[in-house]
Amino acid sequence: GQAWTRADAIGGAAGVTAEEMAALLGMGDYGYSAWERGARTPGGPALKLLALIATDPIKMIAALRKA
């Protein structure tokens, strides 16, 4: 599926909570959880960033933590 449909799996693969994923993406917990529930879909830069993170969640999240 698309990256946003797997937002929870992306974070889960790297051992990251939803709250930390939201922070790493520069957004609020509520908005991120809406993606996880499928209530909203990311677009633009957020969608591209999720797709990039999905390529190698552990490595990409480690890079975001350093940013």
Side-chain angles (χ1 to χ4, degrees):
Q2 293 176 315
W4 65 266
T5 63
R6 299 180 48 243
D8 58 333
I10 293 168
V16 179
T17 65
E19 292 81 12
E20 186 177 2
M21 278 296 291
L24 289 170
L25 294 169
M27 62 186 303
D29 296 349
Y30 183 79
Y32 184 79
S33 70
W35 290 352
E36 289 185 326
R37 293 189 315 273
R40 296 192 63 173
T41 58
L47 182 59
K48 299 250 184 214
L49 183 56
L50 282 173
L52 181 62
I53 293 169
T55 64
D56 190 343
I58 294 171
K59 184 177 180 180
M60 295 298 143
I61 289 172
L64 284 172
R65 285 177 173 152
K66 292 178 184 176

